[in-house]
Amino acid sequence: MKKNNIFLDLGLQPLANNYLKKKDLEKKEKKYRLKVGMDANTNLVSINKPLSSKAMFNNTYPYRSSMSKTMINSFKNLSKLISNKFKPKKILEIGSNDGSFIKNFSKQKVIGVEPCSNIEKITKKLGYKTYANYWNKKTAWKILRNHNKIDLIYSANTISHIENLDEVFESINIVLEDKGTLIIEDPSLLECLKKNTYDQFYNEHIYVFSLIGLESILKKHNFEVYHVQKLDIHGGSNRYFIKKKDYKKKIDTSVKIFRQKEISFGLNKLSTYKSFSKRVLKSKKQLKKIFNKIILKKKKIIGYGVTAKSTTILNYCKIGKDMISYFVDTTKDKQNKFTPGTKIPIYKYRGFIENDIRYIFLGAWNFKDEIFKKEKKFIKEGGKFIIHTPYPKII
Ligand code: TMP
């Protein structure tokens, strides 16, 4: 990213998913300065100093896509659509995580690619062909040596984690059939700016894509988007249906509509991002004010759902264990550890909220509906959630 105009400085941040063990608490944590910029040539928005993939995606990676019903259902519905509409002979998923998507298909039909070997083991054990590799040309050629060309490639919340987009699409070009379909799903930059979800930026989210940004890189590699769908997933995502340019297929009107919406919001102008940056600063002040007010009343606050996103919020707003007593989370690999940077203890979610808790900071705000449904009793008894989007408030 040469022409990167920095518009947002989110301060010193630890690695977002680096949950600390007790023995690590006294050790100095690796931190980096998180800044976000916009490339005026491509309209791509990215963080300024990506760490190496190996430093982020290794054999201790804690994220599991199967931790939420919302994700499981979304993958199930898409799988149905893929089977009915595309009828693919072979499907490849880039970033198959613990198999929430590929498990909807027979073992002969799908291939997973997952570089985090602790997670790759899960699908391999179930009998799914999974390559424990980063997505690059080497992996693409390796797959082609063992299989025919692929007619459907899917990737959710993964492409935005890879710095070298040229290599991503060159590699896809190697394995995808000429009449094949590529489906990509990632958080939407437009929704991020509209909802002030600055926590979409952290070391793993190298990019937050807009359609116009993605199109600039796709064009370079002879791909084009022919249909776009808005999803509620992860606070607002886009699902892009992409084909090779030479494959004649009608471009759906959704593409033009999305493009126009993004341009009229100003996603092609640096000034739009500068205004966003001002809103982020305001959001930080408001959130701190809410926390301070509750703490002053000597009330306890806990956190619900430790997310990579919440690492950005807590470290940017300097909300630590003096404000949040502990977090609860359903992910085993996060439990009995401490939040990166802020060192707040993380406990296992025991299926209910302790009686003395009246305030919960919703780290997993992207699963708000699912969590509110689960915590009906807490809400009924007057329990409140603190949320930062679209602006900090108690609900
Ligand atoms: P994510 O936003 O990065 O997907 O992480 C969501 C985290 O929230 C994950 O660690 C699982 C956790 N979680 C709960 O603890 N309870 C829930 O009901 C849901 C939906 C998620």
Side-chain angles (χ1 to χ4, degrees):
M1 296 278 122
K2 282 190 189 64
K3 283 235 167 226
N4 222 358
N5 298 299
I6 301 293
F7 59 86
L8 182 62
D9 183 350
L10 291 165
L12 219 54
Q13 293 278 351
L15 304 192
N17 266 314
N18 189 31
Y19 303 100
L20 306 167
K21 290 184 183 145
K22 200 168 182 186
K23 67 175 173 61
D24 299 329
L25 286 180
E26 300 312 318
K27 287 187 200 155
K28 200 169 183 268
E29 255 183 289
K30 192 182 172 125
K31 292 201 177 163
Y32 70 107
R33 190 76 183 257
L34 177 57
K35 290 185 185 176
V36 189
M38 178 236 188
D39 182 330
N41 289 336
T42 60
N43 293 315
L44 281 167
V45 164
S46 62
I47 62 168
N48 68 329
K49 269 233 171 88
L51 298 163
S52 78
S53 292
K54 282 194 185 107
M56 301 187 276
F57 310 113
N58 46 43
N59 59 0
T60 59
Y61 192 61
Y63 182 75
R64 303 285 184 278
S65 53
S66 64
M67 279 303 115
S68 106
K69 277 190 195 145
T70 313
M71 292 308 290
I72 290 176
N73 288 340
S74 170
F75 289 136
K76 201 175 270 170
N77 290 335
L78 176 67
S79 302
K80 270 188 211 150
L81 177 110
I82 287 176
S83 297
N84 296 337
K85 194 168 171 200
F86 295 95
K87 301 182 176 55
K89 290 192 285 295
K90 201 85 171 180
I91 301 163
L92 168 73
E93 188 185 16
I94 303 171
S96 47
N97 201 270
D98 61 359
S100 313
F101 171 74
I102 60 174
K103 275 195 269 184
N104 291 296
F105 299 95
S106 73
K107 293 176 181 114
Q108 294 73 37
K109 207 155 191 107
V110 277
I111 304 167
V113 175
E114 175 50 60
C116 305
S117 57
N118 58 326
I119 307 179
E120 169 264 349
K121 276 191 195 116
I122 302 172
T123 49
K124 198 173 251 173
K125 222 173 162 178
L126 292 171
Y128 283 92
K129 180 77 197 159
T130 317
Y131 288 83
N133 296 106
Y134 294 99
W135 180 249
N136 52 31
K137 283 194 272 190
K138 203 171 150 200
T139 306
W141 286 119
K142 192 170 160 183
I143 289 171
L144 259 202
R145 275 198 297 277
N146 299 331
H147 311 270
N148 293 328
K149 281 208 168 187
I150 312 284
D151 47 351
L152 195 134
I153 299 180
Y154 176 57
S155 189
N157 304 305
T158 300
I159 305 296
S160 57
H161 294 53
I162 310 176
E163 184 185 4
N164 189 344
L165 293 179
D166 283 324
E167 177 143 18
V168 164
F169 292 107
E170 280 165 17
S171 312
I172 290 173
N173 241 325
I174 291 170
V175 291
L176 187 67
E177 265 188 7
D178 289 346
K179 291 186 175 179
T181 304
L182 165 66
I183 306 174
I184 294 178
E185 198 174 303
D186 273 292
S188 145
L189 183 62
L190 182 64
E191 293 304 309
C192 166
L193 262 65
K194 276 186 179 170
K195 296 176 180 157
N196 299 317
T197 49
Y198 60 88
D199 50 324
Q200 287 289 6
F201 297 106
Y202 54 90
N203 58 292
E204 291 173 20
H205 277 186
I206 294 171
Y207 300 92
V208 176
F209 290 131
S210 57
L211 168 67
I212 56 171
L214 198 60
E215 280 185 318
S216 69
I217 185 88
L218 288 173
K219 197 172 163 193
K220 211 172 138 189
H221 295 280
N222 284 318
F223 284 110
E224 64 186 345
V225 178
Y226 69 88
H227 177 60
V228 202
Q229 231 180 3
K230 188 172 174 239
L231 307 172
D232 286 335
I233 299 289
H234 289 314
S237 295
N238 285 340
R239 181 178 284 159
Y240 307 95
F241 293 79
I242 299 160
K243 65 174 187 67
K244 290 191 177 177
K245 215 166 182 166
D246 292 338
Y247 174 33
K248 300 283 170 242
K249 192 174 174 142
K250 194 174 171 281
I251 310 281
D252 191 84
T253 47
S254 59
V255 182
K256 200 174 167 188
I257 294 168
F258 270 67
R259 206 183 286 133
Q260 274 169 351
K261 269 191 192 159
E262 291 187 349
I263 289 171
S264 63
F265 190 86
L267 290 191
N268 54 343
K269 288 189 204 130
L270 185 61
S271 57
T272 306
Y273 298 95
K274 287 189 170 160
S275 313
F276 166 67
S277 178
K278 281 184 192 147
R279 295 199 299 279
V280 172
L281 193 63
K282 195 170 162 195
S283 170
K284 171 185 179 167
K285 286 181 186 156
Q286 286 174 336
L287 188 64
K288 284 292 288 248
K289 212 168 156 183
I290 290 175
F291 269 88
N292 285 330
K293 230 170 148 177
I294 300 169
I295 298 296
L296 242 146
K297 286 197 274 182
K298 301 219 169 345
K299 300 272 192 234
K300 200 162 155 182
I301 306 171
I302 68 158
Y304 195 120
V306 188
T307 62
K309 293 181 276 296
S310 51
T311 298
T312 296
I313 302 177
L314 300 177
N315 286 281
Y316 174 62
C317 299
K318 298 198 169 39
I319 294 169
K321 50 183 187 271
D322 52 330
M323 296 193 166
I324 297 180
S325 304
Y326 59 87
F327 264 91
V328 288
D329 197 287
T330 51
T331 309
K332 222 170 151 202
D333 282 358
K334 296 181 185 176
Q335 294 161 2
N336 302 317
K337 290 187 180 159
F338 297 81
T339 56
T342 45
K343 300 179 177 163
I344 303 167
I346 307 164
Y347 300 132
K348 181 180 174 179
Y349 172 71
R350 299 199 300 161
F352 59 91
I353 304 296
E354 303 287 343
N355 274 338
D356 61 328
I357 307 300
R358 283 282 141 280
Y359 292 97
I360 294 178
F361 169 66
L362 193 57
W365 57 266
N366 42 321
F367 298 119
K368 179 171 150 259
D369 294 345
E370 184 177 337
I371 292 171
F372 278 20
K373 228 185 245 171
K374 209 150 101 182
E375 302 307 336
K376 265 192 207 133
K377 186 171 172 279
F378 170 77
I379 296 169
K380 208 171 155 201
E381 289 170 358
K384 304 277 182 210
F385 281 93
I386 306 166
I387 192 163
H388 81 300
T389 169
Y391 52 86
K393 59 184 168 187
I394 300 175
I395 41 177

